[in-house]
Amino acid sequence: MGKITGFLEFDRKVEEYAPVEDRIKNYKEFTLPMKEKELKDQGARCMDCGIPFCHSGCPLGNLIPDFNDAVYLGKWEKAAEILHSTNNFPEFTGRLCPAPCEEACVLGINEDPVSIENIEKNIVETAFKKGWVVAEPPESRTGKTVAVIGAGPAGLAAAQQLNRAGHLVTVFERDEKVGGLLRYGIPDFKMEKNIIDRRVDILKEEGITFKTGVHVGVDISATELKEQFDAIVLSGGATVRRGLPIEGADLKGVVQAMDFLKQNNKRVDGIKDLGEEIKATGKDVIVIGGGDTGSDCIGTSIRHGATSVSNFEILGKPPVGRPEGQPWPFWPMRLRTSTSHKEGVERFFSISTKKFVGDKDGNLTGLITSEVEWIREPGKRPTLKEVPGTEKKWKCELALLAMGFTGSEMTVAEQLGLEADARTNIKASEADYKTNVPGVFVAGDQRRGQSLIVWAISEGRQAAHHVDTFLMGKSCLPLKGEGDLPRV
Ligand SMILES: Cc1cc2nc3c(=O)[nH]c(=O)nc-3n(C[C@H](O)[C@H](O)[C@H](O)COP(=O)(O)OP(=O)(O)OC[C@H]3O[C@@H](n4cnc5c(N)ncnc54)[C@H](O)[C@@H]3O)c2cc1C
Ligand code: SF4
């Protein structure tokens, strides 16, 4: 621990944001850099706890007190080494993670927690700036081959780990560019796409082959891949979107959030041929769904120049602080306000959309809602009840459905004969990531269902260890939280 009194001397500080009126004019990231002294002070706030609960909060088991201390001491290269020992892509999590580590931070019991995520981002950005993030190809090759299907964070992490173990890795991705939801879901204002490109360049230099524009199961059968490769990692994500099958759902203007976001990310990338344009410009927009996807639709609609943006959430409004029954260090279901929420949206809770309304040409003109209440009885699942007399009509020309994903696509699974659960998550235990078919592994959202980037990276790393063991009989690839580095 660098500074014993650090947590008493310094208040929590994180990067500030450019003013709303400036940042909504473009799709660039809008955080304002912090000075090195400020970052060191933030590192000094870490108490180097005897039992660092931040570790257990982090799905990667990041060695948080160690890198906090290194930052406090100004040992940035050491900090980058510690960070990369448990996380392949801290530049993604440092920008996008909801930071369960901070909710578990001991300092958070009676103070603001250590600004772990912000420290993480600044370590990795310093490392890129200084040229410390370089390709590390394996010293020798094993002669074994692995196919990774899907190039989201889970697939990329698995690929890098397996390549490090000396296997020849080929990543198949059906989209034109790699990154999965990082590329085509998350808008540039949350993470500019050159952040993915610079990392993928390193992966290519390390010897990983990327085959983009190849839809496994359609362009090439999964059984063919099974014959060609010694092992397969499935990391295709949870891509089946939840619909809203109510009257008027087929009207022009009722759009799936992912169609809207993906098209916009491609537009920002300079791609011209986008098919029918989906824009919020000059429209009253209603985003249905209060999660990350909904929030990204809000920020994007505001940048399009929507007349108004409203956000509906069927669940009740959660409390700002920790709810009763979800004490520290657990992840609390509390009200989260994103940067997009602060850009000009009205949020409504406990509201259910009953019907979309259109004109004679089939264009959406509005929708009808009711307020709902949740009935909770001990030992029973909560049920939803409409509040009588609360029906309301809203003007709306664009309704964005951001209600999450129900599971994964089954084509590849069916071709390989894989077992799935009732939600179409491919079955494999967290103990070894093995499916029911020998040599086929699964990681990320395709195994655990719709989740987080940090979990995808964690699962990709864990699965890689087990694939390596399957191929070689043993593995030196680290498991969760296994740092092989000396303390600072
Ligand atoms: C709009 C949105 C915003 C989000 N924001 C955040 C956030 O801020 N923070 C956070 O932590 N999480 C966020 N998430 C969740 C996070 O993005 C996912 O949990 C994570 O990307 C899952 O990683 P993955 O690698 O398992 O799958 P994905 O990222 O979904 O990648 C799967 C890849 O597999 C490809 N693929 C699928 N099938 C095939 C096939 N048969 N052949 C070839 N390729 C195939 C797909 O094209 C895709 O590129 C967000 C999700 C969405 C939708
Ligand atoms: S729990 Fe918080 S204060 Fe304790 S070691 Fe982790 S980051 Fe530092």
Side-chain angles (χ1 to χ4, degrees), residues 92-93 95-99 148-156 172-175 177-187 190 211 213-220 234-239 257-258 261-262 291-294 296-297 404-405 409 411-412 443-457 459:
F92 305 158
T93 45
R95 285 174 167 78
L96 299 165
C97 194
V148 174
I149 305 174
L156 294 178
F172 294 87
E173 170 53 55
R174 66 182 168 197
D175 277 321
K177 292 193 178 180
V178 306
L181 290 171
L182 301 174
R183 170 86 59 185
Y184 293 116
I186 290 162
K190 270 169 67 180
K211 295 202 172 176
V214 181
H215 191 169
V216 178
V218 177
D219 301 321
I220 178 169
L234 281 188
S235 47
T239 44
M258 273 307 297
L261 294 172
K262 188 168 185 176
D292 275 338
T293 309
D296 291 346
C297 288
F405 300 82
E409 293 164 48
T411 315
V412 168
D445 282 8
Q446 194 163 14
R447 191 193 74 84
R448 61 186 294 117
Q450 169 190 5
S451 183
L452 294 174
I453 294 158
V454 67
W455 271 114
I457 299 172
E459 294 222 345

Side-chain angles (χ1 to χ4, degrees), residues 145-148 225-226 229-233 439-441 467 470-471:
T145 56
V146 184
V148 174
L225 284 191
K226 179 90 175 64
F229 290 85
D230 295 313
I232 290 185
V233 179
V440 181
F441 296 75
V467 174
F470 167 79
L471 294 172

Side-chain angles (χ1 to χ4, degrees), residues 43-59:
R45 291 187 76 233
C46 176
M47 305 184 292
D48 194 14
C49 302
I51 300 175
F53 279 84
C54 52
H55 272 230
S56 45
C58 175

Side-chain angles (χ1 to χ4, degrees), residues 100-118:
C101 55
E102 293 188 10
E103 295 289 2
C105 173
V106 176
L107 196 52
I109 297 174
N110 61 345
E111 291 273 344
D112 289 331
V114 175
S115 48
I116 303 167
E117 186 185 13
N118 195 58

